[in-house]
Amino acid sequence: MVSADVVNYPLHQEFLSNGLRVLVSPDRSVPVAAVNLWYDVGSRDELPGQYGWAHLFEHLMFSGSARVASGEHLQLLQNLGGSVNATTWFDRTNYFETLPIGALDLALWLEADRLGSLADHLTIESVDTQREVVKEEKRQRYDNVPYGDAMATLVELVFGADHHYGHTTIGTMEDLAGASVEAAADFFRTHYRPENAVLTLVGDFTVKEAFRKAERAFGQLRGGARRQRPVPGGLAPMEGIPAAELSGRVPAEAAYLAWRLPVRDTVDFDAADLALGILGGGQSSRLHQLLVRERRLLAFAGAHPLPLIGGNSIGLIQLRGLPDRGVAEGVQATLEQVERLATDGPTEDELNRIKAQFGREWLMDLARLDTRADLISAFTVLHDDPGRVNRRLVELTSITAAQVRDAAATLLRPEHRAELIYRVEASR
Amino acid sequence: MKRSDRRPEVSPPPHWRFGHPAQSWLDNGLQVLLSARPGQHVASICLSLDTPLSGEPEHLEGVATITQRCLDEGTLAHPGASFAEALEAIGASLEGSVGYSASQLFVDVPTARLGEALRLLAEAVITPELAADQAERHCELRLAEIEQTLASSARIAQQAFRTASIRPRYRASRFAGGTPSTISAITPAAVVDYHQRTYRPDGATLIISGDLEPGVLSHVEAAFGAWDVRTAAEPTHQSPTRRRIHHWLVDRPGAVAADVRLGAFGIDRTDARWADLQVAGHAVGGAFLSRLNKVLREERGYTYGVHLVNQPMRAGGLLAVQGSFRTDVVVDAITEAAALIDLRQRPITDAEVAEAVSYHTGSAPLRFATAQGVTQNLAGLVAAGITAEFIDANMVALSHVTAASATDALIELLPPDALTLVVVGDAAALHQPLADAGWASTVYSATKLLHR
């Protein structure tokens, strides 16, 4: 087992007067700084008719603001050797840059400029161009990719189309077409506010220097009262096995089995996470060993959770058949394995293996300045508790075999699943 | 002016040099590179085997891939699934990659378990079971994987450009992992034979990066010291050459977008123009506001992203504009891209050189900041037959690049009238418009790539 005591990163927190929450974790090992900003807005905040907007508007954050030309934010920092990007997900939009330390002030100034002025500097040209770019992204990454539409269908199946998690972040072509300058400005004024964000700085500076730099860049922005998000209630397990079928030009049939899980980073979620790992999280997992290696029923069998904060997460098992062979037998055998785990629980060896794997992955995420900063932002935004970054290994390794068995027995019951089968379209 | 109106000055990065790995050899010829990275609690190991794919029997291409995939399916000491269990029990992960010039195995493991991980890696490499049923199963999975490749527009484009750019006699022109006809011919005995013939310590390199204890070399010796030197012939590496110009349209009926590759056979890191190409490549198609991405993405909205990608091999390379464009703009995009990479009228500017050099020097410490980053970068050099000295020497070479040298290099490497084009998209919609725009192309189905 990985020793948990190597994880003890320094964490310092201050609130600026405008409500911006700043986390600082010095690391003097390399002359580098990681800047990470989480805005507490994601695709779950989109209403029907707005699907894909949070992500489209993330693109607009690079299209210029009061003192920055379009594309200049990325260009300036990249030309100094920095790596810069942003992503949108169900529960958040994050903006991040990793830079030579000498560029930290510039990066913070650029972030503050767009936070403070973007809503007033949108143009129809930039909205139209980024709308086309995002449509291209949808074509390249989803519409023109085998199985690319599976996830959108699956979340709708699990949550229903009108639920806040019932659509994916890439959205729909129709809703993207409906985004306007006014809608974007309104969205930014609502969600892109100092008090709705967390700024994390990890890198080669003292605590005092880092807070001073954050204050200098962001201190003059106007904030407001912190918005209290209503905590959505979790949905009960699915009944009646909601099912769907898709077909497309894919080489082999695939199946997706999904369950509603508790919200992320809770004991029950973690136990379900480990249960999924024992079923399908690596080469020694049960589904791989039995269905891929021994019985040669499937080309691939994997399981993992999709961690979410708003009421429920998703637990997912993905199966891909061999060419010219269906997945029905593999689905049946998978469900038998889920039931077996629910009855007998994991062995101690299995549990130790899956915890050891989690430990390595966690340490690797923390080894990089950028992912360390992102995790600190995540635990601050989602749980109001950055210190859990240092406690997470202990939390996971404390889960018992009985808890894993119970999670399988209550949260992964075959009758509470949703099922999506992806069929091979007959060739034309 | 308020203080916040003023754009902050950037202080120049401290001069960076690569902290060289400690180099040593075991008596059996295995080279060991140790790179200490304090604070990196997950060590990153790479064992790079000097196994060029030209050493595969031609009718059994893919046997190197199948052999590597069988390594962790059981060893003499840990038969069957117990090997993967032993590896996972210490929190280690094992990944493999088979390239045209080297087979490489990567292990990540918490530093506290490094010694055990090295012993398991050595078992997999030196005494794998290579059980017949596992070899057969991995052949079956490889056949399924080829079908998945042929269903992916981007992966077809990648392979098609390779095949269109490199003369067919060279191994690097074909699928690294073999085709259905060669995979079907691979027997369990062929896997055992390939392992015996090509897995050898002399010529191999073991790279370890992380927060290393002083005794790490003794762990290496304990794990790999008994690996025999076999008296097999030295492997020979090919030096591929360019194929004549081709324009290929690989048909995906009804596709909503097309993957494009437009470029030529390129150069490797030992070419005198390497630093020139890095600079020109950044300006034309590397940076976010590169000439290509600025016009085709940020002005036209034709694509999610377009890049000029420079893929060096051990000898020669592939250099191409890469992007995915919706079907109704793809021909315009190709024509514009061809104009943008033609530097005869619009040479690289001094400002572009300064930005590209600043990018490369500024990003170096970031690329080498983690144990994984160090090992990955060194592994790439080892596969290319280059020493770690290249890293610092290249920094010096970059500082000597001029606007003229960068411009000349790209004009030579991407001759405007001699570019190879691969388009993977809906042929019914694209064939005529491509011809009308001067890109008359031969239409193929993706399965054509499987035939020599």
Side-chain angles (χ1 to χ4, degrees):
Chain A
M1 193 67 46
V2 174
S3 149
D5 58 11
V6 298
V7 182
N8 188 20
Y9 292 98
L11 288 168
H12 304 269
Q13 174 176 274
E14 274 185 13
F15 283 88
L16 304 191
S17 56
N18 55 25
L20 179 70
R21 191 170 186 173
V22 184
L23 274 296
V24 169
S25 183
D27 183 329
R28 316 303 298 254
S29 64
V30 276
V32 169
V35 176
N36 183 290
L37 259 165
W38 265 49
Y39 291 95
D40 188 1
V41 56
S43 61
R44 70 163 163 162
D45 295 301
E46 298 162 346
L47 301 172
Q50 306 177 341
Y51 294 168
W53 285 16
H55 168 245
L56 169 62
F57 298 157
E58 170 224 300
H59 277 240
L60 293 174
M61 283 280 272
F62 295 94
S63 293
S65 46
R67 302 168 189 87
V68 183
S70 182
E72 199 185 14
H73 182 125
L74 256 161
Q75 178 82 343
L76 279 173
L77 296 177
Q78 205 175 42
N79 285 340
L80 296 165
S83 61
V84 183
N85 215 334
T87 69
T88 307
W89 196 232
F90 294 94
D91 289 330
R92 56 104 177 102
T93 311
N94 59 356
Y95 297 82
F96 44 92
E97 34 257 324
T98 313
L99 313 144
I101 186 68
L104 176 58
D105 283 324
L106 176 60
L108 294 173
W109 183 86
L110 290 165
E111 289 291 1
D113 194 61
R114 63 184 178 183
L115 168 56
S117 69
L118 185 74
D120 301 322
H121 288 83
L122 295 163
T123 64
I124 185 62
E125 291 76 21
S126 61
V127 173
D128 283 345
T129 302
Q130 291 309 315
R131 187 200 327 275
E132 291 309 315
V133 169
V134 168
K135 286 181 173 180
E136 286 302 306
E137 180 178 357
K138 182 165 162 20
R139 291 185 187 99
Q140 183 180 343
R141 295 175 65 180
Y142 304 92
D143 300 349
N144 198 29
V145 170
Y147 315 102
D149 51 348
M151 200 45 75
T153 304
L154 196 70
V155 295
E156 188 176 332
L157 203 57
V158 169
F159 292 118
D162 293 336
H163 185 271
H164 54 271
Y165 290 139
H167 66 280
T168 50
T169 49
I170 194 67
T172 66
M173 292 294 194
E174 298 71 42
D175 288 4
L176 288 170
S180 63
V181 169
E182 297 70 34
D186 189 50
F187 190 91
F188 283 119
R189 292 196 181 101
T190 306
H191 298 291
Y192 283 69
R193 310 175 58 83
E195 73 276 12
N196 200 40
V198 164
L199 170 68
T200 300
L201 303 177
V202 177
D204 190 10
F205 36 64
T206 66
V207 176
K208 210 171 140 189
E209 275 169 353
F211 282 128
R212 200 178 62 230
K213 287 172 188 294
E215 169 65 35
R216 193 163 55 205
F218 289 88
Q220 87 291 355
L221 299 182
R222 279 235 306 274
R226 194 170 166 198
R227 176 179 64 177
Q228 288 304 318
R229 253 186 199 283
V231 177
L235 300 180
M238 289 176 281
E239 300 291 350
I241 311 182
E245 270 194 29
L246 291 171
S247 68
R249 266 183 303 159
V250 296
E253 210 165 277
Y256 302 77
L257 313 180
W259 287 264
R260 290 177 185 158
L261 296 184
V263 295
R264 56 179 292 173
D265 312 318
T266 55
V267 174
D268 288 343
F269 172 86
D270 290 344
D273 184 352
L274 295 182
L276 288 166
I278 283 158
L279 287 167
Q283 206 182 338
S284 75
S285 67
R286 292 184 179 188
L287 297 179
H288 177 84
Q289 281 302 323
L290 192 72
L291 308 185
V292 179
R293 195 177 197 272
E294 286 171 32
R295 293 178 61 188
R296 290 159 78 161
L297 279 178
L298 297 166
F300 171 81
H304 62 91
L306 194 72
L308 299 167
I309 197 69
N312 294 93
S313 298
I314 299 178
L316 182 60
I317 295 180
Q318 280 175 269
L319 310 173
R320 200 174 62 243
L322 292 158
D324 307 321
R325 213 182 299 168
V327 287
E329 207 182 335
V331 169
Q332 200 48 46
T334 295
L335 294 171
E336 286 165 19
Q337 288 305 310
V338 176
E339 296 209 74
R340 214 191 103 209
L341 183 64
T343 310
D344 301 340
T347 66
E348 278 307 312
D349 282 351
E350 279 181 314
L351 189 59
N352 287 337
R353 282 202 301 273
I354 203 73
K355 288 178 180 177
Q357 293 296 309
F358 176 87
R360 184 198 69 252
E361 287 164 13
W362 185 251
L363 289 182
M364 282 182 66
D365 282 345
L366 291 174
R368 296 173 54 117
L369 300 193
D370 55 351
T371 40
R372 190 188 313 159
D374 195 62
L375 286 168
I376 294 169
S377 290
F379 278 87
T380 310
V381 168
L382 300 176
H383 300 299
D384 198 10
D385 188 358
R388 280 186 68 186
V389 166
N390 284 332
R391 300 197 306 273
R392 218 24 214 145
L393 258 185
V394 175
E395 290 176 6
L396 249 292
T397 48
S398 308
I399 305 272
T400 65
Q403 285 172 311
V404 173
R405 183 198 61 212
D406 292 349
T410 56
L411 297 170
L412 301 175
R413 300 200 63 78
E415 66 269 26
H416 292 328
R417 75 183 187 278
E419 186 172 297
L420 168 64
I421 305 292
Y422 213 113
R423 306 259 184 228
V424 179
E425 189 176 287
S427 51
R428 329 176 186 199
Chain B
M1 186 187 269
K2 289 209 307 277
R3 188 157 65 160
S4 61
D5 285 348
R6 215 168 32 232
R7 195 170 280 198
E9 297 293 316
V10 174
S11 49
H15 182 66
W16 180 87
R17 282 182 67 115
F18 179 59
H20 276 275
Q23 185 181 30
S24 58
W25 283 267
L26 301 192
D27 290 344
N28 58 17
L30 177 68
Q31 178 183 218
V32 183
L33 300 177
L34 300 180
S35 214
R37 285 294 181 275
Q40 293 285 306
H41 301 301
V42 180
S44 174
I45 307 167
C46 172
L47 180 68
S48 184
L49 295 154
D50 189 22
T51 52
L53 290 188
S54 49
E56 291 179 321
E58 226 173 290
H59 65 293
L60 298 178
E61 287 182 356
V63 69
T65 299
I66 301 299
T67 302
Q68 189 189 68
R69 290 178 182 179
C70 288
L71 295 180
D72 61 353
E73 298 292 356
T75 64
L76 298 186
H78 288 91
S82 72
F83 180 78
E85 290 172 5
L87 204 62
E88 290 180 11
I90 60 168
S93 70
L94 171 63
E95 304 281 340
S97 83
V98 173
Y100 292 96
S101 53
S103 287
Q104 300 188 318
L105 293 158
F106 292 90
V107 175
D108 288 322
V109 65
T111 45
R113 315 301 292 267
L114 180 59
E116 293 156 277
L118 286 169
R119 280 197 293 280
L120 288 170
L121 175 60
E123 270 180 31
V125 171
I126 304 167
T127 53
E129 270 187 304
L130 303 177
D133 62 333
Q134 295 307 314
E136 286 162 7
R137 186 173 70 80
H138 275 293
C139 286
E140 184 179 57
L141 289 180
R142 172 63 193 146
L143 293 175
E145 184 183 63
I146 293 168
E147 304 253 332
Q148 295 288 342
T149 300
L150 297 181
S152 157
S153 178
R155 287 155 77 184
I156 295 169
Q158 202 64 17
Q159 182 62 41
F161 183 73
R162 173 175 283 281
T163 303
S165 303
I166 300 173
R167 293 183 76 176
R169 73 170 69 152
Y170 295 107
R171 180 63 181 89
S173 70
R174 303 189 290 277
F175 279 83
T179 60
S181 63
T182 62
I183 294 293
S184 303
I186 294 172
T187 60
V191 172
V192 172
D193 177 65
Y194 183 80
H195 176 260
Q196 282 183 351
R197 264 193 319 111
T198 65
Y199 277 48
R200 44 194 280 174
D202 50 328
T205 299
L206 182 70
I207 304 163
I208 309 176
S209 310
D211 200 335
L212 305 178
E213 289 170 22
V216 60
L217 262 182
S218 62
H219 288 306
V220 173
E221 177 66 40
F224 290 95
W227 193 2
D228 294 339
V229 183
R230 300 200 176 84
T231 52
E234 290 281 318
T236 50
H237 291 266
Q238 294 181 332
S239 294
T241 54
R242 72 179 62 236
R243 194 175 180 173
R244 71 180 174 82
I245 307 311
H246 289 278
H247 294 170
W248 289 356
L249 173 54
V250 183
D251 192 15
R252 272 170 62 87
V256 295
D259 271 274
V260 172
R261 302 289 183 273
L262 176 69
F265 187 82
I267 56 175
D268 58 72
R269 297 175 183 85
T270 63
D271 191 289
R273 296 164 295 180
W274 180 255
D276 294 318
L277 176 57
Q278 281 184 296
V279 168
H282 183 83
V284 172
F288 179 72
L289 285 189
S290 69
R291 294 182 180 194
L292 284 166
N293 209 45
K294 181 169 193 294
V295 173
L296 297 178
R297 173 183 151 129
E298 290 298 294
E299 290 172 16
R300 305 270 193 277
Y302 282 176
T303 180
Y304 178 47
V306 56
H307 305 280
L308 179 60
V309 176
N310 179 18
Q311 226 187 321
M313 301 188 292
R314 188 170 173 121
L318 295 171
L319 178 62
V321 176
Q322 297 192 1
S324 164
F325 307 90
R326 64 182 179 274
T327 301
D328 60 313
V329 303
V330 67
V331 177
D332 283 351
I334 292 167
T335 301
E336 287 218 47
L340 289 164
I341 60 178
D342 179 358
L343 302 187
R344 290 173 302 181
Q345 302 306 318
R346 281 187 61 209
I348 299 291
T349 64
D350 290 338
E352 285 175 318
V353 173
E355 287 171 0
V357 171
S358 163
Y359 163 77
H360 282 289
T361 50
S363 61
L366 276 60
R367 277 180 277 131
F368 291 91
T370 62
Q372 284 66 35
V374 173
T375 294
Q376 291 281 352
N377 276 287
L378 289 176
L381 295 180
V382 167
I386 291 173
T387 66
E389 275 73 36
F390 170 82
I391 297 167
D392 289 336
N394 189 52
M395 290 295 164
V396 175
L398 281 166
S399 70
H400 294 149
V401 172
T402 65
S405 70
T407 303
D408 291 348
L410 203 71
I411 292 173
E412 274 171 38
L413 292 168
L414 293 176
D417 51 354
L419 297 174
T420 285
L421 173 69
V422 166
V423 179
V424 182
D426 187 355
L430 293 174
H431 187 236
Q432 194 56 47
L434 275 172
D436 294 344
W439 301 101
S441 302
T442 313
V443 178
Y444 291 117
S445 80
T447 50
K448 159 88 177 169
L449 293 172
L450 302 175
H451 306 294
R452 307 281 296 275

